[in-house]
């Protein structure tokens, strides 16, 4: 192995910075899944009867479903009875202010760079902090409420805004959608809810920060964002978890609904614990995310930077229902060491003159396996619809893999579908060229990788683009040779 | 400046350089000529620290330091610049971005303040003007989609910005039309100074009409078989390599 390869290896093997555990007293229910467990979760959350019924329907369906085997990933069977489906930090009656957040938890988020005191916040970002199964804090709520924006924990939305929740939940991702969506619908704990009323441009970024802390638990959050006519919102989620030898399951559902002329921009910086360099531990990130561009001229944009998780299984998609609606998917997925990712998108064109753009950048290092899987479907009525897809893979070293599975279904004669794909390798000669100009190998690799991802990073909100670049550097530390 | 003694080097166990002795003083321009496969590019690569070359014996002193002990980036920071025979394409990375990072590494190493984006752009534009090169060079990805001539010009531009102490031009003239050759040579001549040394590796005498060397070396079979003034180059042009004793003209890699 050349020195460059060795350095990439070192780069890739830098320690996961967020692997600490918070010592906080938790209310964790016993392991196992049954109707009783679902009733218990629902009771703990003081839910209305209709939601419990919905959960139970999902659960009954789930018991008849089988786990999908088509993703291009390998893992040992998951024992769904060995997981605890609810864990919440104790001492949490209704929180009146940030000062009541458990100091341990508050310091956890501080360590993660997410201060929960509003005066310390990044200007212009409202944060909902989800710790294991519950939301522990949501900032800037009053300020947002003044203009009619609702931003609160999902469980609270169920109590405070039941009509809105009931109207939209499950409309984009029905509980019958797939195995993990059904599981989530049965046992989901918390997540975020946002509603942007007619004509309101949300003045600040909304953000949810997910933290898994407890051992042997899964996190099953559910997020629902509705942008009413003419509304717009930009939302960002971040995720981290402690380093543990066991695998932990994260099966989330995210639903977005954009009505006429509405815009939703949803960005993810996913940094769940990826497991160690031999593939021990790490999060199974099996997530269903979908948005319906329901109204005319509506836009849904997904931007994701996926650097964490042992396994990622995720296809944020857009149902382009309204005429002239727009769907966009920008993705950077990194797999290093033994990480596996099977990720991409679904663009389902239904309305006339709908447009979609897919830019996917997969980076594989170490023994990582990276798969792009994407569906573009032009329905019969999607006349004059257009899609442009670009899938680029970058390989670092010679033990990793990149795979691309595009699915194109066109059912009318006037739509256009374009697909471009490329695979390249960071060459020794590129690294040497940079070193000859005075750059270290690490800087050279960072520069090349960031150049590769540029088209995606520029879609991220400013301050997070910088964070994403740094994260990418950390994720690939030790990967260069 | 540079003192090479008994240098033997090769790649994958195959010996290419078989005992090079070469001394380059400050401010001097040395031309290295020779037939294909004589080891010219290997010598340039060894000086820059290309990882695929193994040095089996001999030593290289650069400004009193053991060059062979230095990493490629440290050599660059100490002022060694290689204009590549085949400049490498780096898609997605802005030319100005790479060069600014490179310049700041060099400046940091020298204990100088790093330049911010504005200061760098001012400096870069000034150099482009001196070299009569187009400013769009800055905003394009490194060598990506460049013509052969543009790549070579970009190397000279980088050299002008980085102000090396020892510049090594590896067949910078190959593939250049006469106008490009003039621009490249101008660039090199502009940089000539009593502190700066240059090694010009070339096949053809043509370049040496523009960049007039102090010393010409003829390399053959991994050894320097003849050294002298610029007249040697003219003689080579007229007679080929065959007349020099010890030149083997077989073509190999």
């Amino acid at each position: 192995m050349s020195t460059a390869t060795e350095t990439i290896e070192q780069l890739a093997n830098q320690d996961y910075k967020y692997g600490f555990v918070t010592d906080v007293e938790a209310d964790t229910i016993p392991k196992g899944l049954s109707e009783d467990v679902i009733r218990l979760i629902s009771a703990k959350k003081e839910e209305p009867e209709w939601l419990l019924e919905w959960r139970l329907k999902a659960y009954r369906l789930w018991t008849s479903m089988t786990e999908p085997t088509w993703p291009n990933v390998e893992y040992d069977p998951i024992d769904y009875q060995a997981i605890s489906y609810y864990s919440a930090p104790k001492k949490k009656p209704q929180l009146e202010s940030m000062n009541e957040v458990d100091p341990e938890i508050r310091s956890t988020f501080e360590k993660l760079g997410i201060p929960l005191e509003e005066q310390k916040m990044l200007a212009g970002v409202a944060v909902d902090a989800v710790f294991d199964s519950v939301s522990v804090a949501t900032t800037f709520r009053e300020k947002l409420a003044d203009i009619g924006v609702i931003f609160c924990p999902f469980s609270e939305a169920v109590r405070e805004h039941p009509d809105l929740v009931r109207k939209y939940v499950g409309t984009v991702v029905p509980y019958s959608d797939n195995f993990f969506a059904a599981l989530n619908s049965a046992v989901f704990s918390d997540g975020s809810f946002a509603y942007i009323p007619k004509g309101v441009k949300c003045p600040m970024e909304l953000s949810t920060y997910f933290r898994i802390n407890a051992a042997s638990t899964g996190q099953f959050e559910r997020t629902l964002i509705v942008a009413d006519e003419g509304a717009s919102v930009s939302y960002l989620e971040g995720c981290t978890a402690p380093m543990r030898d066991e695998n932990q399951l994260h099966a989330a559902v995210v639903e977005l609904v954009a009505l006429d002329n509405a815009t939703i921009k949803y960005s993810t910086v996913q940094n769940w614990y990826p497991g160690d360099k031999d593939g021990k531990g790490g999060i199974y990130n099996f997530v269903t995310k979908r948005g319906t561009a329901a109204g005319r001229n509506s836009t849904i944009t997904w931007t994701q930077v996926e650097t964490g998780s042992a396994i990622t299984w995720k296809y944020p998609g857009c149902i382009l229902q309204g005429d002239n609606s727009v769907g966009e998917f920008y993705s950077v997925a990194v797999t290093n060491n033994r990480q596996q990712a099977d990720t991409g998108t679904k663009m389902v064109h239904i309305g006339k003159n709908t447009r979609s753009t897919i830019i996917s950048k997969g980076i594989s290092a170490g023994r990582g396996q990276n798969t792009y899987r994407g569906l573009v479907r032009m329905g019969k009525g999607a006349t004059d619809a257009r899609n442009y897809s670009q899938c680029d893979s970058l390989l670092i070293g010679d033990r990793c893999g990149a795979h691309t599975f595009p699915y194109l279904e066109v059912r009318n004669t006037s739509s256009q579908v374009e697909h471009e794909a490329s695979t390249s390798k960071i060459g020794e000669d590129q690294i040497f060229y940079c070193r000859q100009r005075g750059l270290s190998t690490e800087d050279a690799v960072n520069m090349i990788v960031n150049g590769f991802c540029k088209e995606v990073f520029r879609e991220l909100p400013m301050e997070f683009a910088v964070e994403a670049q740094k994260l990418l550097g950390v994720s690939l530390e030790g990967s260069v040779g | 400046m540079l003192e090479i003694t008994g240098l033997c080097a090769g790649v994958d166990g195959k010996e290419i350089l078989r005992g090079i002795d070469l001394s380059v003083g400050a401010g001097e321009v040395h031309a290295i000529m020779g037939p294909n496969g004589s080891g010219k590019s290997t010598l340039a690569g060894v000086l820059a620290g290309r990882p695929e070359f193994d040095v089996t014996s001999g030593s290289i002193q650069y400004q009193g330091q053991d060059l062979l002990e230095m990493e490629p980036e440290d050599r660059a920071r100490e002022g060694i610049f290689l204009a590549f025979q085949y400049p490498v394409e780096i898609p997605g990375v802005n030319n100005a971005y790479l060069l600014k990072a490179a310049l700041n590494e060099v400046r940091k190493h020298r204990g100088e303040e790093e330049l911010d984006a504005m200061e760098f752009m001012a400096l870069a534009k000034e150099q482009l003007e001196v070299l009569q090169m187009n400013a769009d060079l800055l905003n394009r990805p490194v060598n990506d989609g460049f013509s052969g001539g543009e790549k070579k010009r970009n190397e000279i531009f980088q050299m002008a910005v980085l102000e090396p102490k020892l510049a090594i031009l590896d067949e910078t003239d190959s593939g250049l039309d006469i106008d490009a050759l003039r621009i490249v040579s101008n660039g090199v001549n502009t940089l000539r100074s009593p502190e700066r040394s240059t090694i010009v590796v070339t096949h053809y005498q043509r370049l040496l009409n523009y960049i007039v060397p102090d010393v010409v070396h003829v390399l053959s079979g991994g050894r320097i078989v003849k050294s002298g003034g610029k007249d040697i180059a003219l003689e080579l042009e007229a007679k080929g390599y065959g007349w020099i004793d010890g030149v083997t003209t077989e073509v190999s890699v």
Side-chain angles (χ1 to χ4, degrees):
Chain A
M1 214 164 28
S2 71
T3 49
T5 315
E6 281 158 19
T7 316
I8 293 183
E9 293 286 330
Q10 287 156 10
L11 268 172
N13 296 331
Q14 161 162 318
D15 290 343
Y16 181 74
K17 275 196 289 193
Y18 309 103
F20 59 89
V21 178
T22 307
D23 186 14
V24 57
E25 215 183 324
D27 168 16
T28 304
I29 64 171
K31 292 175 184 177
L33 184 55
S34 64
E35 291 202 7
D36 288 344
V37 167
I38 289 161
R39 285 175 206 282
L40 181 61
I41 293 171
S42 190
K44 278 185 181 292
K45 304 185 93 62
E46 299 163 35
E47 284 177 354
E49 190 60 26
W50 67 264
L51 193 52
L52 173 62
E53 282 309 313
W54 193 71
R55 286 176 180 275
L56 290 171
K57 271 194 263 178
Y59 173 71
R60 286 168 199 147
L61 180 68
W62 178 77
T63 55
S64 72
M65 294 170 96
T66 48
E67 211 170 313
T69 52
W70 49 264
N72 189 22
V73 297
E74 280 175 24
Y75 56 94
D76 292 334
I78 298 170
D79 180 357
Y80 291 93
Q81 297 302 333
I83 297 171
S84 166
Y85 289 83
Y86 186 86
S87 177
K90 270 189 186 160
K91 301 184 284 190
K92 200 219 159 213
Q94 290 297 308
L95 288 171
E96 291 302 320
S97 80
M98 275 325 126
N99 300 333
E100 290 176 33
V101 176
D102 186 313
E104 279 291 326
I105 293 174
R106 214 163 54 195
S107 82
T108 297
F109 283 98
E110 299 269 348
K111 270 198 235 176
L112 298 171
I114 316 291
L116 297 177
E117 287 113 301
E118 296 190 0
Q119 65 274 22
K120 281 198 201 162
M121 291 289 306
L122 284 169
V125 183
V127 173
D128 184 18
V130 176
F131 192 85
D132 288 332
S133 303
V134 292
S135 168
V136 292
T138 310
T139 61
F140 289 113
R141 293 175 59 169
E142 286 83 17
K143 195 174 167 196
L144 290 167
D146 285 347
I147 48 166
V149 172
I150 303 168
F151 181 46
C152 65
F154 193 93
S155 49
E156 189 182 316
V158 169
R159 290 191 300 270
E160 308 287 328
H161 312 281
D163 297 343
L164 276 175
V165 174
R166 201 168 177 177
K167 183 171 174 188
Y168 290 108
V169 74
T171 59
V172 186
V173 180
Y175 62 76
S176 56
D177 192 78
N178 68 69
F179 183 84
F180 295 110
L183 177 63
N184 173 286
S185 303
V187 302
F188 75 87
S189 38
D190 226 332
S192 299
F193 173 81
Y195 172 77
I196 323 300
K198 267 185 198 168
V200 171
K201 313 270 176 229
C202 190
M204 56 175 79
E205 301 275 343
L206 302 185
S207 169
T208 303
Y209 207 90
F210 294 99
R211 174 73 177 171
I212 296 179
N213 186 60
S216 304
T217 59
Q219 193 175 54
F220 305 92
E221 87 271 7
R222 197 166 181 108
T223 291
L224 173 60
I225 298 173
V226 179
D228 212 325
E229 290 173 22
S232 73
V233 63
S234 172
Y235 177 93
L236 185 118
E237 64 173 354
C239 346
T240 58
M243 290 161 75
R244 294 188 190 283
D245 285 347
E246 63 189 282
N247 296 107
Q248 281 181 283
L249 180 61
H250 173 252
V253 168
V254 174
E255 298 179 281
L256 312 180
V257 180
L259 301 181
D260 284 359
N261 302 303
T263 298
I264 302 177
K265 190 172 164 60
Y266 191 105
S267 312
T268 303
V269 176
Q270 185 264 106
N271 189 23
W272 295 119
Y273 177 54
D276 70 8
K277 64 180 172 27
D278 301 316
K280 190 160 191 181
I283 302 291
Y284 291 163
N285 190 33
F286 299 155
V287 172
T288 307
K289 294 185 172 182
R290 197 173 302 147
T292 299
R296 294 172 58 85
N297 309 315
S298 54
T299 299
I300 288 181
T301 301
W302 296 101
T303 306
Q304 60 173 26
V305 177
E306 303 278 322
T307 60
S309 296
I311 299 178
T312 296
W313 179 98
K314 172 181 177 192
Y315 316 91
C318 300
I319 312 286
L320 302 172
Q321 203 174 339
D323 291 348
N324 309 319
S325 59
V326 175
E328 295 171 317
F329 175 74
Y330 300 97
S331 171
V332 167
V334 181
T335 53
N336 192 8
N337 297 319
R338 298 276 180 171
Q339 281 177 279
Q340 308 173 66
D342 190 314
T343 184
T345 184
K346 286 182 185 175
M347 291 292 176
V348 179
H349 292 250
I350 297 170
K352 291 189 189 81
N353 198 30
T354 45
R355 279 161 292 148
S356 64
T357 304
I358 299 171
I359 308 284
S360 164
K361 305 279 181 178
I363 300 165
S364 316
R367 292 174 186 270
Q369 293 294 326
N370 210 321
T371 300
Y372 168 80
R373 188 184 301 276
L375 168 73
V376 176
R377 179 184 293 152
M378 298 293 184
K380 268 197 185 127
T383 50
D384 298 314
R386 292 193 303 272
N387 161 265
Y388 173 74
S389 303
Q390 184 189 329
C391 303
D392 298 321
S393 304
L394 186 69
L395 303 172
I396 302 175
D398 50 14
R399 290 171 303 170
C400 54
H403 317 270
T404 303
F405 299 102
Y407 303 80
L408 307 175
E409 297 174 12
V410 181
R411 298 196 180 131
N412 72 68
T413 53
S414 64
S415 55
Q416 289 176 31
V417 177
E418 272 180 82
H419 181 91
E420 286 182 25
S422 76
T423 302
S424 53
K425 209 174 153 175
I426 293 193
E428 299 278 316
D429 54 346
Q430 288 176 323
I431 291 170
F432 178 68
Y433 189 77
C434 295
R435 292 179 79 195
Q436 209 301 304
R437 296 300 181 250
L439 275 66
S440 65
T441 302
E442 297 89 280
D443 289 346
V445 171
N446 269 341
M447 187 180 281
I448 295 167
V449 169
N450 277 309
F452 176 75
C453 300
K454 199 159 59 180
E455 287 157 285
V456 174
F457 285 165
R458 69 172 168 230
E459 296 298 325
L460 285 172
M462 186 70 138
E463 53 275 62
F464 299 108
V466 177
E467 201 171 302
Q469 286 195 15
K470 282 192 213 145
L471 185 58
L472 203 63
V474 171
S475 299
L476 285 172
E477 277 198 27
S479 70
V480 181
Chain B
M1 174 73 70
L2 185 73
E3 198 69 47
I4 304 176
T5 317
L7 181 70
C8 293
V11 62
D12 293 331
K14 186 178 167 240
E15 195 172 50
I16 300 172
L17 300 180
R18 300 185 170 96
I20 301 273
D21 295 301
L22 177 65
S23 176
V24 179
E28 293 176 0
V29 174
H30 287 234
I32 297 191
M33 304 185 70
N36 286 328
S38 56
K40 302 187 298 293
S41 287
T42 303
L43 179 59
V46 168
L47 288 173
R50 233 183 221 292
E52 59 262 38
F53 294 125
D54 300 316
V55 173
T56 45
S57 65
S59 71
I60 306 178
Q61 292 287 313
Y62 168 69
Q63 295 188 316
Q65 299 184 69
D66 183 353
L67 188 73
L68 297 174
E69 284 300 305
M70 294 160 71
E71 293 292 331
E73 56 268 40
D74 293 326
R75 300 181 193 199
R77 292 166 191 167
E78 281 286 337
I80 290 186
F81 180 90
L82 172 66
F84 283 59
Q85 184 178 4
Y86 304 108
V88 179
E89 298 177 7
I90 311 179
V93 175
N94 192 292
N95 211 15
Y97 188 70
L98 169 67
L99 191 52
K100 175 171 164 275
L103 179 62
N104 279 334
E105 287 295 343
V106 172
R107 292 181 67 95
K108 223 167 31 187
H109 185 75
R110 292 184 196 144
E112 295 168 6
E113 285 269 311
E114 293 185 40
L115 297 186
D116 65 25
M118 302 290 281
E119 293 165 332
F120 170 77
M121 288 311 269
L123 173 84
K125 287 195 172 137
E126 195 185 300
Q127 288 298 342
L128 283 169
E129 255 172 56
V130 172
L131 300 173
Q132 299 171 292
M133 293 183 193
N134 202 333
D136 79 336
L137 206 65
L138 280 171
N139 301 318
R140 292 165 62 186
V142 180
N143 295 321
D144 189 23
F146 283 32
S147 71
E150 282 176 324
K151 285 183 184 172
K152 296 297 176 80
R153 265 179 273 179
N154 191 29
E155 295 292 288
I156 300 303
F157 166 57
Q158 293 184 8
M159 180 173 85
V161 170
L162 294 173
E163 300 187 306
K165 292 187 188 124
L166 173 63
I168 304 156
L169 310 182
D170 189 4
E171 301 204 19
T172 300
D173 53 334
S174 61
L176 287 188
D177 63 35
I178 200 76
D179 290 335
L181 190 67
R182 202 170 289 137
I183 290 175
V184 165
S185 312
N186 269 343
V188 175
N189 288 330
T190 314
L191 289 169
R192 263 179 114 146
S193 83
E195 301 83 47
R196 188 169 294 133
S197 310
T198 309
I199 295 175
V200 182
V201 172
T202 183
H203 257 306
Y204 304 108
Q205 189 272 336
R206 192 177 64 157
L207 178 67
L208 305 180
N209 289 336
Y210 298 95
I211 305 171
V212 181
D214 298 304
V215 189
V216 175
H217 307 277
V218 178
L219 193 63
S220 178
R223 289 188 188 88
I224 290 176
V225 292
K226 194 170 178 66
S227 298
K230 63 178 192 291
D231 300 343
I232 295 182
L234 293 168
E235 225 165 323
L236 283 174
E237 180 84 344
K239 302 184 189 168
Y241 287 104
W243 64 280
I244 299 174
D245 284 347
V247 168
T248 43
T249 50
E250 100 269 25
V251 176
S252 63
V253 183

